[in-house]
Amino acid sequence: MSQPSGTIVFNTVGRPQYGFDIFSVDLHNHHTAAFADRRLTDGVSINFNAQFTDENDSVVFVSERTGSPRFYLTRPEDKPQPLPFVPNSLFHDRPTIKNGKLYFVSTHEPPEPETVFKSWNAVYSTAVDSVDGVVTRITPKGVVDYSPAVSLTGKFMAVASHGSGLWRGDFRELETEIVVFSESEPENRVVVSERGGWPTWSQDNTIFFHRIVEDGWWSIFRVDLFDSELCRSDPPVRVTPAGVHCFTPAAMHDGKRIAVATRRPGSSFRHIEIFDLELQSFQPVTETINPSFHHYNPFVSRNSRYLGYHRFRGDPTQGESTYPHLDPVQSPIQNLQLLRLNGSFPIFSPCGDFIAFNHDFDANGGVKIIRSNGSKRWTLLKGRTCFYNSWSPSEKHVIYTSVGPIFESVSKTVEIARRSGHKNLYIVDAVDGEFNGGLRRLTEGAWIDTMPCWSPKGDLIAFSSNMHNPTNPEVFGIYVVQPDGSGLRRVEVAKGELAERERLNHVFFSSNGEWLLFTANIGGVTAEAVSLPNQFQPYGDLYAVRLDGSGLRRLTCNAYENGTPTWYDGVLALCSEDEKENDSDVLMGAFQEPLWIN
């Protein structure tokens, strides 16, 4: 059987507008006229999740400038320098440098035994100056760890651990424990809190972390440890008050203060503040500098003088100010090209020269076209909310799109379903519409059928449906049916009881009809969602599977919601920067905070 090949173009929610750079402030200038933030990265791609090294002015961070997250080190006035990484890993995160070692999260080892509904996240270490590429796994086999933190001396580590079980569907707040262990004996792990995420050390004996309290507020908790035994002296204690969301803490080593990201009632922006543990009071930091930007994931220098974070870079003269129409993403398969589109629901023209897509679903809604080499973009239909597109295989230059409201409730009346009130699958005559016998039903029942796709030969239609569990609108499987309504069957990706948890959507055939491309929730979660801009749901990785349900391949692995993919049988040669016309979108930082934080 052939392997997946060609070019896949897809959308990532919000990602084109991130424009993140790393910034820091000098707290010695706090409350003075000289207080301002300084950019530490170079404005290329997006740069995020940084930590100061032991040198106080050097920063290790994550950047996606190569098409996947990798690690870099930057010093004042120097260009970022690449650090060791795992070549076959699609995801690297949360780097920390301590005592000549680089600690980080990677997803290059699938669970053992390889299964679905389990994250691939684990913590690793390597020498900062490694030339042999030796990487040591710190997380025990079969265990899932997030958000590693290293103590002041490097003697101890803490992680938010999901344990060895399957992912249970948690997304907004992960069901993780705070686990600590000695760096030299990582197999001897101690649970110090049965619930919490994003640990941070103050010295070697105090850990702060976040979690949601019963009153509904994200809050910071503290637990004190005995150095020699890594046992907690008392149960975790809540340290930040109700009335303000506090998350992603960074402890200062004076033991008196923590930096936190906050969301306050009446504010639409996430800001960084310092919480004084003795005075029980907040000191605003970023709101006085950039009141209308979101600021994420604070970190502090060893001497507690400098406070860092990442945010939208803002000034268009300071680095990349536009986003390309097509952006290469690292692929795990040699002959398969992955491209992120600045838009949704792309579809190739039959000859492959053009891509039609929906640019947005607001005032910029409509249908646009780009050349498939990324050189030019123009508008076909504007000022309308358009959703989903199909390029006619038989009529030259004819594109079908749907116009009207999107993301309505399942009870919303839509034209094609008005006879039964259920969202089922039909075939409609492309010229005469539903009149004169031009409408034929393929499925019928009190369930949801959605996102159909024709096979290249026209002998099958693939679609997503919850007909196996009609009362649950949160689960979807892949189905195929013949155009006359016969041969309906389910393509199970997760087998047995796990198939009932599938949330699979956005199905698309490969050009030879042997593979199905789709988005899925079966890979679990790769990062704590509260540390990111809004992602609607955790079904956001792309997979391919053969038509008989065998040969499952994971194509993306990141912390975003990827979706609406299309598949072309050739590999595209993207144009150079000089060949592009000046019609790219300007970076505006136009992404959303998590909509479920309220």
Side-chain angles (χ1 to χ4, degrees), residues 555-566:
L555 305 181
T556 64
C557 184
N558 55 46
Y560 312 134
E561 183 186 342
N562 306 302
T564 69
T566 190

Side-chain angles (χ1 to χ4, degrees), residues 303-318:
N303 61 8
S304 299
R305 175 174 177 174
Y306 298 101
L307 169 62
Y309 44 83
H310 62 264
R311 66 166 173 85
F312 170 58
R313 65 180 59 103
D315 188 345
T317 66
Q318 301 294 314

Side-chain angles (χ1 to χ4, degrees), residues 447-450 463-469 475-479 490 504:
W447 57 72
I448 303 169
D449 301 321
T450 187
F463 61 102
S464 294
S465 178
N466 70 336
M467 65 174 67
H468 54 282
N469 190 357
V475 296
F476 286 89
I478 296 175
Y479 290 79
R490 184 177 177 186
L504 317 180

Side-chain angles (χ1 to χ4, degrees), residues 96-169:
T96 297
I97 291 177
K98 187 71 68 174
N99 301 331
K101 284 186 176 181
L102 172 66
Y103 301 90
F104 60 95
V105 168
S106 176
T107 59
H108 62 279
E109 293 182 301
E112 293 184 358
E114 185 171 351
T115 186
V116 293
F117 292 108
K118 190 165 186 176
S119 171
W120 296 14
N121 283 48
V123 177
Y124 300 83
S125 70
T126 187
V128 172
D129 57 359
S130 173
V131 293
D132 55 11
V134 174
V135 172
T136 300
R137 181 175 177 129
I138 296 175
T139 299
K141 288 287 187 179
V143 173
V144 175
D145 285 342
Y146 301 92
S147 307
V150 185
S151 69
L152 178 64
T153 65
K155 184 178 179 181
F156 302 118
M157 297 187 67
V159 296
S161 182
H162 210 277
S164 58
L166 296 180
W167 176 59
R168 296 174 288 275

Side-chain angles (χ1 to χ4, degrees), residues 146 160 162 167-178 193-198 209-214 216-219 221 246-247 525 527-531 594 596-597:
Y146 301 92
H162 210 277
W167 176 59
R168 296 174 288 275
D170 41 309
F171 174 55
R172 297 177 179 180
E173 181 190 19
L174 298 186
E175 296 175 4
T176 51
E177 303 171 323
I178 301 299
S193 177
E194 296 179 352
R195 184 167 153 239
W198 206 272
F209 57 91
H210 65 210
R211 73 182 187 208
I212 299 179
V213 188
E214 288 72 15
W217 296 98
W218 283 86
S219 296
F221 285 73
C246 298
F247 23 67
V525 178
E528 296 191 48
V530 74
S531 69
W596 38 268
I597 297 178

